[in-house]
Amino acid sequence: MSTLALKGPYWVTVRQYRRTLWLVGAAVAATLAVIGALRIWEAQDRASGSFPYEHRLGYDMLRGAMEQLSHGMIALPLLVGAFVAGPLIARELESGTYKLSLTQSISPTAWLRSKLATATAVALGATLALLAVYRLGWTQVSGSWGFHWGDSGPYEATGIVLLAYALFAIAVGALVGQLIRRTLVAVAATGGIVGLALLTLGAFRWDFLSVETITGPAKENASLLNTPGDGMFVDQGLLGATGERLSGWFCTPDTPPGAACRPDEQVTAQYLDYHPGSHFWPTQLIESGILLALAALALYAAFRVLRTRHP
């Protein structure tokens, strides 16, 4: 057992932040308990035979909890990056406590490596556990409004991209913490950078792969096209005689009385752009690759800064 025990700076890091580690474990366990209990409740309601009409409180509670968990999963990289940048790196540099470690025959590189390795192990372990918990509830709410595989929240929590975001946040936190050396400022700066990455990639991720398009008739009594299967809707509209896309719409049996409709003689067909379900994993892999490349650059810069300031 002694050979498996943590040694040197790794033991010091775990000992120093043991309360944080216990808090992470407790949060994961509490999340599992809540989602697991609501999942059992929902299954009992469904087995009663009256689901989803009279007795669907279990489903409603599960759905509400999954919505909150979706938001929490998106915020997870922000928390990871903020902790690495602030308490883990910047606070020790700001207070000077890192000097004690360097007097124990530990190189600056070993000091930083031990902290990042510990943070990475805990962050990836907790993220994997939460992904598993999310899957537990996802099986019952998937496909409903707000829980499509392409929606923000479910997209991050049902694939591998959240792990890449966690690694990116750790690398950015390591770099920013050393550059700023002020705990609160480093936390804010890292949160801003990771948040910007979340927003930017979230806005452009569905441009990585080309959409697929279906067309149909655009006559007065024609019905609107529907997204095939479990595809993700992107755009819908009309096609002119020369194939150009037009604004406006045409009347359908479901059009409200008095609605403005484009005269059907100006159009030849309607179109619908969508991403099929088969685009989920390629998009996840592309986005993860971008994040891992950025994480590698940030990590390289972090160790370069360390060696420059502490040769």
Side-chain angles (χ1 to χ4, degrees), residues 170-180 297-299 301-303 305:
I170 291 171
V172 170
L175 176 59
V176 173
Q178 290 188 85
L179 292 175
I180 296 180
L297 290 174
L299 192 62
F303 279 96
V305 170

Side-chain angles (χ1 to χ4, degrees), residues 26 32 58 63 71 75-76 82 110 129 132 138 145 157 191 195 203 218 235 247 273 305:
L32 174 60
R63 180 181 171 83
H71 299 320
L76 188 60
W138 171 254
W145 184 86
D235 189 24
S247 59
D273 293 337
V305 170

Side-chain angles (χ1 to χ4, degrees), residues 48-86:
S48 67
S50 55
F51 182 89
Y53 300 104
E54 291 83 0
H55 303 288
R56 56 173 295 158
L57 182 58
Y59 174 82
D60 292 337
M61 293 291 291
L62 176 62
R63 180 181 171 83
M66 288 293 292
E67 289 178 350
Q68 297 304 314
L69 184 55
S70 294
H71 299 320
M73 298 290 270
I74 295 177
L76 188 60
L78 298 173
L79 298 177
V80 171
F83 177 78
V84 171

Side-chain angles (χ1 to χ4, degrees), residues 223-295:
S223 298
L224 299 180
L225 294 173
N226 293 317
T227 307
D230 64 344
M232 188 188 77
F233 173 85
V234 176
D235 189 24
Q236 194 169 27
L238 301 174
L239 296 174
T242 60
E244 76 276 17
R245 295 191 171 190
L246 305 172
S247 59
W249 203 242
F250 62 93
C251 290
T252 69
D254 301 325
T255 302
C261 300
R262 191 180 190 95
D264 56 2
E265 65 267 19
Q266 298 182 13
V267 300
T268 59
Q270 58 173 309
Y271 72 90
L272 185 146
D273 293 337
Y274 72 103
H275 282 289
S278 59
H279 284 187
F280 176 79
W281 283 111
T283 302
Q284 287 262 331
L285 292 173
I286 294 172
E287 187 171 352
S288 297
I290 294 172
L291 288 165
L292 292 177
L294 294 174

Side-chain angles (χ1 to χ4, degrees), residues 8 11 35 39 42 66 68 78 94 119 121 123 144 147 163 215 221 241 268:
W11 181 89
I35 298 300
R39 177 67 177 80
E42 187 274 342
M66 288 293 292
Q68 297 304 314
L78 298 173
E94 182 179 14
S144 60
F147 284 99
L163 298 172
T215 59
N221 294 321
T268 59

Side-chain angles (χ1 to χ4, degrees), residues 21 24 28 73 76-77 79-81 83-84 115-133 159-171 288 291-292 295:
L21 298 179
V24 170
V28 172
M73 298 290 270
L76 188 60
L79 298 177
V80 171
F83 177 78
V84 171
K115 290 187 172 298
L116 296 184
T118 303
T120 300
V122 174
L124 293 184
T127 301
L128 285 171
L130 289 174
L131 290 176
V133 173
I160 60 173
V161 74
L162 197 62
L163 298 172
Y165 273 110
L167 293 174
F168 171 74
I170 291 171
S288 297
L291 288 165
L292 292 177

